[in-house]
Amino acid sequence: EAQVTQNPRYLITVTGKKLTVTCSQNMNHEYMSWYRQDPGLGLRQIYYSMNVEVTDKGDVPEGYKVSRKEKRNFPLILESPSPNQTSLYFCASSLYTSGRWDTQYFGPGTRLTVL
Amino acid sequence: GESVGLHLPTLSVQEGDNSIINCAYSNSASDYFIWYKQESGKGPQFIIDIRSNMDKRQGQRVTVLLNKTVKHLSLQIAATQPGDSAVYFCAERLSGSARQLTFGSGTQLTVLP
């Protein structure tokens, strides 16, 4: 089944404790992206990657890191989480063919609480 | 910068009626638009998309209309069912942009029995 998976689905942590949220897709998509979703603010892009070893900042990159060592994986790293990073996080991927982007597919989400 | 917004944050319709969810976008250079449905506790799910060279596109029970003159997008759901209750997002992509999509804040659709 074609899908985007995220782990963990729920995480409660404390300020300053490094954490990683994993994202994996099995559709051989070049493009992957991380979003956070907050009430009233919709989905905001954190980082994106157009292919292996190519990453770039989205709208709200502060406090986050990403890596793209393999095509299928795009982990989101919070080196020193703070309470304002409490949010619902979504990973997404899409195909990029002949200069045109295809539909973006989303993972199930990771609910992060930073105390 | 570009922005995507929704006219109404909530919409309630009777089961069986048609629903219309509206969206305004601000960047005339956007070339691709998508509607997503998000149910509680789940990730956004693709519903239908439309490219800027089209005015209308139909799917199963859904139709998207694009009016580039007034930069307006709408999603029509025919014979709305209880399972259609969700938050609906429109999203736009700026032509040539690698940052992909800019999302609106969403409209909560509630289907009344």
Side-chain angles (χ1 to χ4, degrees):
Chain A
E1 178 188 358
Q3 60 183 347
V4 179
T5 57
Q6 297 178 227
N7 281 291
R9 294 290 314 280
Y10 302 91
L11 179 60
I12 300 175
T13 190
V14 295
T15 299
K17 185 176 181 182
K18 181 180 178 179
L19 67 92
T20 299
V21 183
T22 64
C23 173
S24 183
Q25 51 92 6
N26 62 1
M27 295 170 279
N28 202 36
H29 286 169
E30 292 88 356
Y31 190 100
M32 297 186 74
S33 181
W34 276 102
Y35 295 86
R36 61 178 288 174
Q37 186 176 38
D38 302 289
L41 296 177
L43 284 154
R44 294 180 294 167
Q45 191 177 48
I46 303 170
Y47 268 95
Y48 65 95
S49 169
M50 294 179 67
N51 215 322
V52 175
E53 301 293 357
V54 181
T55 64
D56 210 342
K57 297 177 180 179
D59 297 314
V60 287
E62 293 78 19
Y64 304 95
K65 288 175 58 177
V66 293
S67 69
R68 188 87 182 276
K69 294 183 171 59
E70 304 166 283
K71 196 172 188 178
R72 64 182 291 127
N73 297 322
F74 190 46
L76 179 69
I77 303 156
L78 284 72
E79 294 273 3
S80 183
S82 61
N84 65 11
Q85 293 178 298
T86 293
S87 188
L88 180 59
Y89 291 87
F90 289 101
C91 180
S93 72
S94 64
L95 196 63
Y96 180 62
T97 304
S98 301
R100 300 187 74 177
W101 299 106
D102 201 346
T103 303
Q104 193 160 200
Y105 296 90
F106 284 82
T110 295
R111 172 81 58 189
L112 172 66
T113 301
V114 183
L115 302 174
Chain B
E2 64 269 23
S3 64
V4 176
L6 293 164
H7 294 306
L8 296 172
T10 62
L11 176 65
S12 297
V13 297
Q14 293 293 137
E15 181 177 355
D17 287 353
N18 297 334
S19 303
I20 299 176
I21 301 172
N22 296 304
C23 178
Y25 65 95
S26 60
N27 199 317
S28 57
S30 293
D31 67 349
Y32 181 56
F33 305 88
I34 308 177
W35 280 101
Y36 284 95
K37 171 186 180 183
Q38 187 176 20
E39 297 174 277
S40 181
K42 297 184 180 180
Q45 177 186 2
F46 170 86
I47 302 174
I48 192 168
D49 59 1
I50 188 168
R51 301 195 186 275
S52 58
N53 60 352
M54 302 171 68
D55 297 321
K56 179 180 180 179
R57 191 163 188 223
Q58 288 184 294
Q60 187 177 11
R61 282 200 308 118
V62 295
T63 300
V64 55
L65 299 177
L66 176 62
N67 186 330
K68 294 181 287 293
T69 301
V70 295
K71 295 197 283 289
H72 183 267
L73 191 70
S74 69
L75 176 70
Q76 301 178 2
I77 304 173
T80 312
Q81 302 169 358
D84 294 328
S85 291
V87 175
Y88 290 81
F89 296 93
C90 65
E92 66 173 313
R93 185 186 64 214
L94 185 63
S95 177
S97 171
R99 291 175 63 175
Q100 278 255 291
L101 302 173
T102 300
F103 290 83
S105 56
T107 291
Q108 173 70 57
L109 174 65
T110 301
V111 181
L112 305 172

